[in-house]
Amino acid sequence: MGVRKLCVIILLFFLNTCTPFPASRLHRGARSINDWMGKDSTTTGSSTVAMNSREETFEANEDDRLQVQEYLERNGYLPIAQVFGTRYRISDDNFRNALQSFQRFVHLPDTGVLDEETFRLTVSKRCGVPDLVGPAQPSGLYTSWAQWHKLDLTYRIVSHLETIAEGALRATVRSAMEIWMEVTPLSLCEELDPEADVDIIIRHERGEHGDGVAFDGLDGALGHAFLPATGEIHLDLDEQWTVGRVPENNGTDYMSVVSHQIGHALGLLHSGVEGSIMFPIYTDKENINLSYQDVLSIQSLYGNADDSADVQHRCRDRTTTSKTLTSASVS
Ligand SMILES: [Zn+2]
Ligand SMILES: [Zn+2]
């Protein structure tokens, strides 16, 4: 078994995803939140499990409750409820507790009630990496247990997209790498020698693609990445990827998603603050910038930038000898 495959298996164990995620029902039969807004509450299914104060516009029925249970399982809030391959409905207490954890993570009121705003977030496009991974960081940082022990890293895009020209794709990935380089001494450089080893590989994959974490077609999970030193970023080939800002629900901005996944590949987990680049749920942003906490988190792993102005030159000037982290710069 290769070292890379072993690393993937170990990481999946820690992410509680040794069992592949169940096939998503999100974004398929799910009614949109706009459907809910116009719905007559008297036509709701018979098994209503919760409602909020705006009951004239939203009620969650049993199908929604099971759909959200699956969401909570996939994203680290619940173990997968399954016996001999058969899924089962968890108790209302367990569901409420897990929903409260999710609401606290995304900074919603932790009512434990499947209200309209909570439901809307669970049917939004998002990262495929679970939210609750490892112990909570009392510092408020969202670093993982893993980091690279060198500062010069290389990457390669091993498959391209039909919808984005190769040159535009490479430029977008380069810009995403530079966001992280500007605040750290990292060099994140594209390796052009096809024979050379690289640290981070970017792939575009569809459905089952060999790591046990299948993609789910259009929308739903947009991508996932593995922590150091596995160095793999996978983006869902079935998304409508775009370069440049587009209105919500009209494609998915590649820059936004790949910037987030690079954060994982460097050792960061999810932040529950919407302004963070590591917020797991996709939002339409005009500009892709690191938040203050993003900067503190990545700098706690790799130190501050020696000179942020030289980002454009780091890859041009890099040598084959990797700089080694000094003990002072390792948290
Ligand atoms: Zn993520
Ligand atoms: Zn994958």
Side-chain angles (χ1 to χ4, degrees):
M1 179 181 296
V3 172
R4 183 179 300 280
K5 191 168 184 181
L6 182 61
C7 290
V8 169
I9 291 171
I10 292 171
L11 179 62
L12 290 175
F13 173 79
F14 280 111
L15 294 181
N16 192 24
T17 57
C18 290
T19 302
F21 293 140
S24 174
R25 293 187 301 153
L26 299 182
H27 318 285
R28 301 292 195 280
R31 288 154 289 185
S32 73
I33 205 67
N34 291 331
D35 295 335
W36 285 114
M37 294 300 288
K39 192 176 66 168
D40 179 350
S41 61
T42 61
T43 62
T44 305
S46 58
S47 184
T48 299
V49 295
M51 66 180 67
N52 68 356
S53 59
R54 299 173 62 190
E55 61 187 70
E56 73 282 6
T57 59
F58 181 83
E59 289 179 50
N61 63 25
E62 184 66 12
D63 285 345
D64 303 324
R65 197 260 201 204
L66 290 171
Q67 178 177 294
V68 173
Q69 176 184 322
E70 286 187 4
Y71 179 91
L72 296 170
E73 291 171 356
R74 275 197 304 278
N75 293 298
Y77 297 92
L78 281 171
I80 295 174
Q82 178 171 283
V83 175
F84 299 121
T86 301
R87 306 295 312 281
Y88 63 87
R89 181 187 192 279
I90 61 170
S91 71
D92 288 342
D93 281 348
N94 287 345
F95 181 81
R96 188 181 309 109
N97 290 338
L99 197 63
Q100 284 180 305
S101 295
F102 173 70
Q103 289 170 326
R104 279 193 291 273
F105 186 79
V106 295
H107 295 87
L108 289 177
D110 58 343
T111 60
V113 173
L114 183 52
D115 56 24
E116 178 182 326
E117 179 64 4
T118 306
F119 185 75
R120 184 184 67 79
L121 288 181
T122 66
V123 295
S124 298
K125 296 185 280 192
R126 61 160 290 147
C127 174
V129 174
D131 298 333
L132 301 188
V133 178
Q137 295 274 22
S139 62
L141 304 182
Y142 23 94
T143 50
S144 69
W145 59 89
Q147 69 180 95
W148 296 95
H149 293 285
K150 57 183 181 179
L151 294 173
D152 287 347
L153 302 172
T154 55
Y155 70 88
R156 178 180 295 128
I157 306 169
V158 299
S159 58
H160 291 270
L161 296 167
E162 290 182 3
T163 53
I164 302 177
E166 180 178 337
L169 187 77
R170 289 174 57 203
T172 302
V173 172
R174 187 163 58 246
S175 296
M177 295 287 180
E178 287 176 358
I179 286 176
W180 297 100
M181 290 168 65
E182 285 170 356
V183 298
T184 65
L186 288 166
S187 293
L188 306 170
C189 304
E190 183 176 12
E191 178 57 68
L192 299 177
D193 179 356
E195 303 297 321
D197 289 335
V198 294
D199 301 300
I200 298 171
I201 290 176
I202 299 174
R203 299 181 187 278
H204 304 96
E205 303 279 5
R206 173 178 285 122
E208 292 282 357
H209 53 277
D211 60 15
V213 190
F215 283 133
D216 53 4
L218 181 65
D219 297 339
L222 304 174
H224 53 232
F226 297 91
L227 298 171
T230 300
E232 290 256 357
I233 292 173
H234 299 167
L235 299 169
D236 190 345
L237 199 53
D238 286 330
E239 304 304 331
Q240 293 177 338
W241 295 110
T242 60
V243 171
R245 185 164 182 263
V246 293
E248 181 71 61
N249 296 327
N250 187 21
T252 300
D253 180 35
Y254 191 89
M255 173 77 175
S256 176
V257 177
V258 78
S259 300
H260 174 102
Q261 299 302 338
I262 292 167
H264 286 314
L266 295 177
L268 297 187
L269 302 174
H270 284 155
S271 162
V273 178
E274 186 166 350
S276 166
I277 206 167
M278 297 312 294
F279 188 62
I281 297 169
Y282 178 83
T283 54
D284 184 32
K285 301 187 188 78
E286 190 162 358
N287 296 300
I288 311 299
N289 296 309
L290 300 186
S291 70
Y292 181 64
Q293 284 296 104
D294 292 334
V295 173
L296 291 182
S297 294
I298 198 68
Q299 288 184 343
S300 76
L301 294 178
Y302 300 105
N304 299 357
D306 300 328
D307 180 4
S308 61
D310 76 344
V311 164
Q312 302 285 339
H313 301 101
R314 276 185 220 164
C315 291
R316 210 175 300 158
D317 299 341
R318 73 190 174 93
T319 64
T320 54
T321 305
S322 293
K323 289 177 277 185
T324 303
L325 280 173
T326 62
S327 57
S329 67
V330 178
S331 62

